[in-house]
Amino acid sequence: MDGDRSAADPELERAGLLIDLGRAAEAEQLLAERLTARPDDVTAVLLRASALANLGRDDEAHDLARRAVVLEPERPGAHGDRKSTRLNSSHRCISY
């Protein structure tokens, strides 16, 4: 889990913990609501991509990961050799 995410925002920390606990559907719902209010929240976008990937919704997850690169192309790990749009074997976004 990303250390700056937890220190900065308890809601994002909760979403990350839900994903880690295998409760991706709950995390996805929480993050969808958050993104309605804050559509440019890159960390929330990437966390939601992770939740969607855990739910087997890979196309949506990839779309969100690409959206994060558009929103914040200079974010470390969010750009480069397209790693941000790939999923690792556990279906977690590589970076968020």
Side-chain angles (χ1 to χ4, degrees):
M1 218 171 351
D2 188 326
D4 63 18
R5 177 182 77 215
S6 63
D9 194 313
E11 188 175 48
L12 294 177
E13 173 67 11
R14 180 171 183 249
L17 289 172
L18 287 168
I19 293 167
D20 290 344
L21 293 171
R23 296 166 57 186
E26 291 174 68
E28 194 278 328
Q29 183 178 5
L30 173 75
L31 292 160
E33 291 170 9
R34 181 186 177 97
L35 288 167
T36 298
R38 299 178 183 177
D40 295 339
D41 183 335
V42 176
T43 302
V45 168
L46 289 168
L47 277 169
R48 186 169 182 224
S50 180
L52 288 167
N54 276 281
L55 294 170
R57 294 164 58 185
D58 293 338
D59 290 341
E60 292 172 85
H62 285 286
D63 289 345
L64 281 175
R66 283 189 288 274
R67 178 176 159 208
V69 172
V70 170
L71 289 171
E72 197 174 323
E74 300 303 317
R75 183 184 182 108
H79 206 285
D81 62 351
R82 297 175 19 171
K83 286 182 183 175
S84 62
T85 60
R86 276 192 251 144
L87 302 174
N88 68 19
S89 60
S90 66
H91 296 288
R92 296 291 307 272
C93 280
I94 289 174
S95 64
Y96 56 80

